[in-house]
Amino acid sequence: MTAEIIAFPKQECGDRLVSSIARLEALSIDVERVGADDPGASLDQLLAAMERMSDQLVDLASLLLDEDTKLQAQSAFRSLSGRIAETRETFDLIGRRRDI
């Protein structure tokens, strides 16, 4: 009797990809629910969801893109995070001015 060596495909990347897509889908469902349940939901909740989505998109990019494109995607999402922070600061200032 001879033994056969069976090479199974690596599941790590596939599992990570499926997991990352599932997390992204869950985030989009949360955003849809917030919009449907409470259209006047706080801006902070929506900005936090945008940040989580961008993190998931960077994770997907690391699995799917070549190195140069991956770096470009990371740079774009860092820029997005900076703009989200600026938006929060602006709305905080507006809120403080209303309280005066």
Side-chain angles (χ1 to χ4, degrees):
M1 182 172 183
T2 60
E4 277 188 60
I5 297 175
I6 300 171
F8 291 98
K10 290 185 179 180
Q11 294 295 318
E12 294 173 13
C13 183
D15 289 347
R16 281 189 58 207
L17 182 60
V18 169
S19 176
S20 188
I21 291 171
R23 286 191 304 270
L24 187 60
E25 182 180 19
L27 284 169
S28 67
I29 290 169
D30 285 344
V31 169
E32 288 174 358
R33 189 183 66 238
V34 167
D37 293 347
D38 185 8
S42 87
L43 178 65
D44 192 52
Q45 283 179 306
L46 295 175
L47 291 173
M50 285 176 64
E51 286 176 321
R52 290 191 310 271
M53 281 185 168
S54 67
D55 289 343
Q56 282 308 122
L57 290 170
V58 167
D59 188 47
L60 280 171
S62 72
L63 296 171
L64 299 173
L65 302 175
D66 62 49
E67 200 60 35
D68 289 337
T69 310
K70 185 180 358 176
L71 292 173
Q72 290 174 357
Q74 288 172 341
S75 175
F77 287 115
R78 273 195 298 272
S79 176
L80 175 62
S81 289
R83 292 182 189 271
I84 290 171
E86 290 173 11
T87 302
R88 278 196 174 113
E89 290 172 8
T90 300
F91 279 98
D92 285 347
L93 285 172
I94 291 171
R96 279 188 239 138
R97 287 184 184 158
R98 285 188 198 158
D99 294 339
I100 295 177

